[in-house]
Structures are given as structure tokens and as C-alpha cells.
Amino acid sequence: MIQNKNILIGITGGIAAYKICALIRDFKKSGAEVKVVCTPNALNFVTKLTLQNLTQNNVFIEEFDIKDWKPEHISLSDWADIMLIAPATANTISKIAQGIADNLLTSIACAFSKKMIIAPAMNCKMWQNEGVKENIKKLETRGAEILEPETGFLACGYTGKGRLCSLEKIYNAVDEALNYSDKLKDQKVVVTAGGTIEDIDPVRYISNYSSGKMGLSIAKAAYDMGAQVVLITTKDFECPFKTVKVKSAIEMQNAIYEEFGNTNYLIMSAAVADYRVKNYSDQKLKKGNEETITLELVKNPDILAELCKNKTSQVVVGFCAESENLTENAKSKIEKKGCDYLVANDISRRDIGFNSNDNEVIILDKEGNINKFEKASKKVIARKILEWISTK
Ligand code: CTP
């Protein structure tokens, strides 16, 4: 909901700056309060007077043009519910990524800890530049949402990827971010992701194909919804929230117990190995003359089932990956595990699940209600799961 929200728009020196005038009108029509901060170069493309008229506010440019006791970069970043930088040039993107604060816009970005949306626009060769790519990745890792530029005719005469994305896309991204931003405020959400790794010897292990993408999407969605997130994972994910890297089921169990006490939601999307090797060998196992060998395995603790037996107020969500009889198996699994919700997906389908960017799931609760979330990106499915469990 954009109404009554404070939107701070940072405009940098690119030809697409003129398009932002129409966007400001749309935000204002929806009832938002809008303030604009420009880099000095932005004013080569759009006038201060236009922006002042459209926002019905002062336009902020100079860092030391102080009217109040509080420095402008702090008061504006405190004021804003969201910061949108559009168009964002390669120069401003790179400065923000490196923590450089050499004008009012970059200083605000440096001090800003709420949701930031960045819509880059530049020449296609600049967009391909390795330095720019690294800086975009850095900003994403810190939680900024990047609205990738589109491919088309560029003002510099080139055709390629670099055009500012559509104003509709920017408007919707801001709307969605504001809509979701405090749905899980003050809630601690712990998510597990990836397949556990059970060592056999120093060079061999037993694991599974879980990519951890679903868990990562849930953790990111919870973060976007304002939660304090802890992601316990076997994968190397760089995230703007706390991540705890683990390997085996036992390590994962210990990490969960560390966090569980004051957790509001635990989402167990990790594929935990049911068994581990009974006798781990310190030395690499050598090939003998035997044609077959036997590896003895012992059962891992069922982390989810044990937690559910001892939990207090925590809402616990289990996952299950099934290759047949999805609904029936999910119904018996929620009972067996004792969790509040169970999300089930069909791993026999190649277009969803393991390693895919999409998923289609059913979600069950203890009372026997079942809901289906049709095939969509894991990001969308993640949001739907969190909304369902947090509004019931
Ligand atoms: N799980 C767990 N500890 C285990 C095995 C699984 O906490 N040792 C959790 C998973 O994180 C997941 C849920 O239990 O949330 C279901 O996992 P799944 O492997 O489908 O269930 P299992 O009980 O192992 O049943 P099966 O493998 O026989 O289908």
C-alpha cells in the first residue's frame, strides 16, 4: 500500500531521469508523500522546478545546504519508508556498493538501512562491465532489490540491455515492497536449507540433490517482510541476514537448538539425511580386492519430530519431497512429525523442485486444511507460504 507512505526517490544523471517525473505523479496520485534527492548531474536532464512542483516538496541536492540541526542525509533516511534510486547510473551504483558518500544521494544511501530498490539505466557495455556487475551483486547481497534494465534502443545510439525498466514495473516493485515490509516485523524466522552432508572419509560423503533454493527464497521473503532472519544452511549463500553454515544433520540440529528458544517461526526446508555413516574413517578408505563392500549407516535424529515434541509457542513448518501419492504421504507425514504446517512438493516433476527456480506445492495444516500454490517462481511460492502461515 503506497497511500501515506514516504517514498524517497534518488535521481542520478542519466537520460531516463525525465521518465521519473511521470512516476512521481503516479506515486502522488496513490496518496504517497514523495521527496526527491538528485545528484548534481541529474539536473542536466530534469529541472529542479519540475521535481519541486511534482513532489510539492523541496528538492534535495547539496549535502551542506542544512536548514535544520539534523544533517539532511540522516533526516531524509529517517523520514523515508523506502528509497528508490531511478535511474541509477553505473557511477552511483558503484559508489553506493563501495560505501562512498561523496554527495547527498550517496550519503543517504550509505546511512539507509530500510528497503532500497535500484533501477539501473546505462549504456549496454557499461552494464556488461565486470566491475559494475560485481557492485550490483554486492548491493543485492546486502538486500537491495535490483530492477534489471531492459533490452532495446538506447539513447546513446546502441541497441542492447541498458534501458530503464518500465515505470509500471518500478511502481509495482515499490508497492509490493511497502505492502510486505512489516508483515513479519518483530518476528524471528529461522529457515534451514540445502541437503546435509554426511562424511564417509576425508574425501567422500553421502548427500542429496537439494539446492537450498527454496529455503533461500523463504529466508529472503521473510527478510523482505521485516523479520529477523537466521538461515541455517549447508550451502554458501551470501545474504543480508545472519547465516550459519553447517554440514551434517547433527551440526544442523545443534545450530537449530542454539536459535530455537526465542524463535517465532522455524521453517525446515532442508533435506536432512536420514542416515549417517556409523564409522567415519579419519584416513581415506583404500580400494581392496572385494567386489562389493558394505557401508554401515546409523539413523540421524529426526530434528523436526523431536523439536515438535518439545516446542512451546514456536510455529514449525516441515517440508516433504515426494515422488508419488503427494497428498496422502503429506497427510501422514504432518501427523508423524507433529509440525504445525507441512509444505509438500512432487519431485518426480522435472519442471519444479530440486535445483529448479520454480515450484508448485501443497500446504497442509494440523486441522486437515489443504491449499495448493500453483506453479510459480520460488520467490512467489515463498511469499505465499509465509503469508499463509502468518495470517492463520
Ligand atoms: N527432517 C528432519 N530430520 C531428519 C529428516 C528429515 O528434521 N532426520 C525434516 C526435513 O527437514 C523436512 C521433513 O523432516 O522438513 C520431512 O523430511 P523427509 O525426508 O521428507 O521425511 P522423512 O521423515 O525422512 O521421510 P521419508 O524420507 O521416509 O519420506
Side-chain angles (χ1 to χ4, degrees):
M1 272 275 274
I2 279 182
Q3 198 175 18
N4 298 329
K5 292 286 164 80
N6 293 340
I7 303 174
L8 180 63
I9 306 182
I11 304 180
T12 73
I15 179 70
Y18 78 91
K19 296 182 181 173
I20 305 307
C21 298
L23 189 64
I24 295 170
R25 273 180 63 84
D26 291 341
F27 287 146
K28 291 288 289 181
K29 271 195 228 155
S30 301
E33 187 70 17
V34 181
K35 288 185 181 176
V36 165
V37 52
C38 284
T39 61
N41 276 336
L43 296 179
N44 290 322
F45 298 95
V46 64
T47 74
K48 190 175 171 182
L49 192 63
T50 312
L51 298 169
Q52 252 167 4
N53 272 295
L54 289 170
T55 59
Q56 296 164 320
N57 266 316
N58 195 10
V59 171
F60 302 86
I61 304 151
E62 298 296 339
E63 191 149 17
F64 298 104
D65 184 16
I66 299 171
K67 293 179 185 61
D68 197 2
W69 67 269
K70 221 179 195 182
E72 217 101 76
H73 63 286
I74 303 302
S75 56
L76 283 170
S77 75
D78 287 347
W79 171 85
D81 293 308
I82 193 164
M83 183 173 187
L84 163 72
I85 306 180
T89 56
N91 183 42
T92 292
I93 286 170
S94 299
K95 284 197 283 192
I96 296 172
Q98 302 299 329
I100 294 171
D102 65 344
N103 60 36
L104 183 58
L105 193 158
T106 51
S107 300
I108 295 170
C110 198
F112 198 72
S113 56
K114 288 166 265 182
K115 179 78 179 179
M116 188 184 286
I117 297 182
I118 299 175
M122 62 193 75
N123 166 270
C124 48
K125 290 191 177 173
M126 293 171 90
W127 177 249
Q128 289 304 326
N129 177 281
E130 288 304 323
V132 173
K133 278 193 204 166
E134 270 171 34
N135 288 325
I136 290 272
K137 179 112 208 305
K138 268 202 180 97
L139 290 169
E140 256 179 327
T141 303
R142 281 187 229 143
E145 183 175 347
I146 309 292
L147 303 178
E148 290 217 354
E150 289 171 0
T151 302
F153 177 72
L154 306 177
C156 54
Y158 279 81
T159 299
K161 190 168 179 178
R163 281 166 63 102
L164 183 75
C165 68
S166 72
L167 297 186
E168 191 189 354
K169 194 167 175 194
I170 301 177
Y171 182 96
N172 289 340
V174 170
D175 187 25
E176 205 176 307
L178 289 170
N179 231 337
Y180 279 97
S181 62
D182 53 9
K183 286 209 165 160
L184 287 172
K185 199 166 174 269
D186 302 325
Q187 302 291 299
K188 178 173 170 181
V189 178
V190 177
V191 184
T192 65
T196 63
I197 297 167
E198 312 296 332
D199 282 338
I200 300 170
D201 68 15
V203 292
R204 302 179 180 95
Y205 61 84
I206 299 171
S207 191
N208 58 64
Y209 287 118
S210 172
S211 65
K213 282 184 187 171
M214 191 66 237
L216 177 65
S217 298
I218 292 174
K220 281 186 173 170
Y223 176 77
D224 283 343
M225 289 160 90
Q228 178 206 340
V229 178
V230 181
L231 177 63
I232 300 172
T233 177
T234 56
K235 303 284 176 186
D236 287 310
F237 292 135
E238 284 183 58
C239 304
F241 39 78
K242 180 176 173 185
T243 59
V244 182
K245 177 93 190 278
V246 294
K247 202 170 173 187
S248 63
I250 300 286
E251 277 182 30
M252 184 168 276
Q253 183 183 37
N254 291 337
I256 295 169
Y257 273 89
E258 284 274 310
E259 302 288 344
F260 195 60
N262 61 350
T263 291
N264 299 97
Y265 295 92
L266 170 68
I267 300 167
M268 288 284 295
S269 74
V272 183
D274 290 327
Y275 292 89
R276 67 180 181 279
V277 175
K278 186 174 180 194
N279 298 310
Y280 169 76
S281 168
D282 284 336
Q283 302 300 327
K284 186 183 166 200
L285 294 171
K286 298 304 257 182
K287 180 170 61 187
N289 292 327
E290 306 89 340
E291 284 303 314
T292 61
I293 59 163
T294 305
L295 206 54
E296 203 174 346
L297 304 176
V298 288
K299 214 172 204 167
N300 268 329
D302 190 324
I303 309 171
L304 180 62
E306 277 182 22
L307 279 168
C308 289
K309 264 187 228 144
N310 304 315
K311 79 184 185 78
T312 49
S313 59
Q314 297 89 345
V315 173
V316 178
V317 184
F319 266 67
C320 79
E322 301 292 340
S323 55
E324 55 183 358
N325 304 330
L326 186 66
T327 310
E328 289 319 303
N329 285 334
K331 276 184 184 164
S332 67
K333 204 161 276 182
I334 192 169
E335 226 165 88
K336 193 174 101 190
K337 302 271 185 178
C339 49
D340 299 289
Y341 300 97
L342 189 89
V343 178
N345 72 321
D346 181 350
I347 50 162
S348 68
R349 278 179 53 183
R350 308 199 85 196
D351 58 329
I352 54 169
F354 283 155
N355 224 351
S356 156
N357 292 325
D358 293 333
N359 211 350
E360 180 179 299
V361 302
I362 55 167
I363 180 163
L364 290 71
D365 65 15
K366 279 201 286 208
E367 289 76 42
N369 299 308
I370 302 183
N371 201 354
K372 184 176 182 187
F373 298 142
E374 297 293 347
K375 186 178 166 187
S377 68
K378 285 185 172 169
K379 182 180 171 184
V380 170
I381 298 285
R383 281 207 167 151
K384 288 189 170 170
I385 292 170
L386 289 171
E387 280 204 303
W388 211 64
I389 64 170
S390 63
T391 50
K392 285 206 83 191

